């Protein structure tokens, strides 16, 4: 009985220690400080991209997906907060399409490095780097390695979570093949389905402009068979791949 009363008394304090959001940009600095003190010692750095997604998807597709996946990862880990999603990346051939924003690898890496150092300075003990776009993956890997070498003696660790992209891509491809759906390289069923699941207000996907692959339109794949149900399954693959790798790395001495 006494133990139950003690636990009940602790409920308000425990609730107060939990941040109102898992996204750093939503919090005040005292709330971030309190969250770190209460055990939110991992920071998730997720890079998106602003790039063409064919005539049917808004250019911010990767940013919407990255924000959702990062939030899910933080929630499942239980000890993490999400840094603001970087909305730009090296976009390569997509840069020829109006609205696409292209960063050099050097600029992309410099921003990631500075954000990572800011997270360490704030008190986070682990920073996990990942990206939703193919461009910049090697840069993120190098930044994580450099920061890890520079900070590990201070009890800080930086990790590149490549499984959030590469292992997830392999899992998504296998899922589509199993379902007898046509995989694509860009703006096809994979990307479109994920955004459809998140597009509850129907403002990011132009459903009347879904069309098969066309070099001029920027589509590689066939988004016409995309669906929110497929998108949910593909997003789960990304989250599960990232969480598994982070937990594996953090357990290592």
């Amino acid at each position: 009985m006494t133990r139950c009363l003690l636990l009940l008394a602790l409920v308000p304090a425990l609730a107060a220690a939990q941040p109102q959001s898992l996204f750093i940009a939503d919090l005040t600095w005292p709330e971030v400080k309190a969250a770190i003190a209460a055990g939110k010692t991992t920071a998730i750095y997720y890079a998106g991209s602003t790039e063409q997604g064919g005539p049917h998807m808004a250019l911010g597709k990767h940013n919407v997906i990255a924000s959702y996946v990062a939030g899910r990862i933080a929630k499942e880990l239980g000890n993490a907060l999400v840094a603001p999603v970087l909305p730009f990346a090296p976009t390569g051939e997509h840069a020829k399409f109006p609205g696409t924003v292209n960063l050099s690898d050097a600029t992309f890496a410099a921003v990631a490095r500075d954000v990572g150092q800011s997270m360490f300075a704030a008190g986070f003990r682990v920073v996990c780097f990942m990206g939703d776009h193919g461009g910049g993956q090697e840069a993120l890997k190098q930044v994580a390695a450099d920061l890890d070498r520079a900070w590990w003696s201070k009890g800080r660790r930086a990790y590149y979570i490549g499984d959030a992209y590469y292992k997830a891509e392999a899992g998504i491809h296998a899922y589509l093949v199993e379902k007898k759906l046509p995989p694509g390289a860009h703006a096809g069923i994979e990307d479109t389905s994920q955004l459809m699941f998140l597009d509850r207000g129907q403002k990011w996907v132009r459903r009347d402009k879904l069309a098969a692959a066309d070099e001029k339109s920027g589509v590689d794949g066939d988004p016409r068979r995309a669906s929110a149900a497929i998108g949910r399954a593909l997003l789960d693959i990304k989250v599960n791949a990232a969480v598994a790798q982070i937990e594996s790395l953090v357990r290592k001495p």
Side-chain angles (χ1 to χ4, degrees):
M1 183 66 176
T2 302
R3 184 179 179 184
C4 291
L5 290 173
L6 179 61
L7 289 173
L8 286 173
L10 287 173
V11 167
L14 292 172
Q18 296 302 312
Q20 297 175 2
S21 170
L22 295 177
F23 293 86
I24 289 172
D26 294 339
L27 304 174
T28 65
W29 75 260
E31 289 169 345
V32 173
K33 182 178 180 180
I36 295 171
K40 304 287 188 186
T41 54
T42 294
I44 304 296
Y45 178 91
Y46 217 126
S49 179
T50 300
E51 65 181 68
Q52 71 88 12
H56 63 284
M57 279 196 296
L59 284 95
K61 165 202 71 183
H62 280 300
N63 304 323
V64 174
I65 293 171
S67 181
Y68 172 81
V69 174
R72 283 270 313 275
I73 291 169
K75 184 176 181 180
E76 296 210 13
L77 289 175
N79 67 341
L81 294 180
V82 180
V85 169
L86 179 66
F88 311 120
T91 54
E93 72 277 7
H94 302 302
K96 65 184 179 182
F97 291 88
T100 297
V101 177
N102 182 50
L103 292 189
S104 67
D105 284 337
T107 299
F108 181 75
V111 172
R113 184 176 297 108
D114 285 353
V115 174
Q117 291 183 146
S118 296
M119 295 298 101
F120 284 145
F124 290 98
R125 304 188 67 81
V126 175
V127 181
C128 296
F129 292 88
M130 59 201 85
D132 199 61
H133 174 66
Q137 294 291 330
E138 285 302 313
L140 291 175
K141 183 178 181 180
Q142 188 61 54
V143 166
D146 291 344
L147 286 176
D148 198 57
R149 279 193 297 270
W151 286 83
W152 73 269
S153 64
K154 303 178 181 70
R156 305 291 191 264
R157 301 304 304 266
Y159 298 113
Y160 166 62
I161 310 303
D163 286 0
Y165 184 77
Y166 293 110
K167 187 172 183 178
E169 285 292 295
I172 287 170
H173 182 87
Y175 174 92
L176 294 177
V177 169
E178 180 184 352
K179 300 294 184 182
K180 296 182 171 54
L181 295 168
H186 187 80
I189 193 170
E190 304 95 318
D191 297 338
T192 307
S193 292
Q194 291 174 64
L195 195 59
M196 277 183 172
F197 175 72
L198 301 173
D199 192 23
R200 304 303 170 85
Q202 297 196 6
K203 61 180 180 178
W204 297 315
V205 180
R206 315 294 188 256
R207 287 160 174 77
D208 61 332
K209 297 189 182 300
L210 296 172
D214 180 345
E215 185 178 343
K216 292 182 180 180
S217 72
V219 176
D220 182 338
D222 189 349
R224 292 175 297 179
R225 297 179 66 185
S227 72
I230 294 171
R232 180 175 184 174
L234 304 189
L235 288 165
D236 285 347
I237 290 172
K238 284 187 174 182
V239 172
N240 293 338
V243 170
Q245 186 179 11
I246 292 170
E247 290 182 337
S248 174
L249 289 168
V250 172
R251 280 199 299 266
K252 290 182 179 180

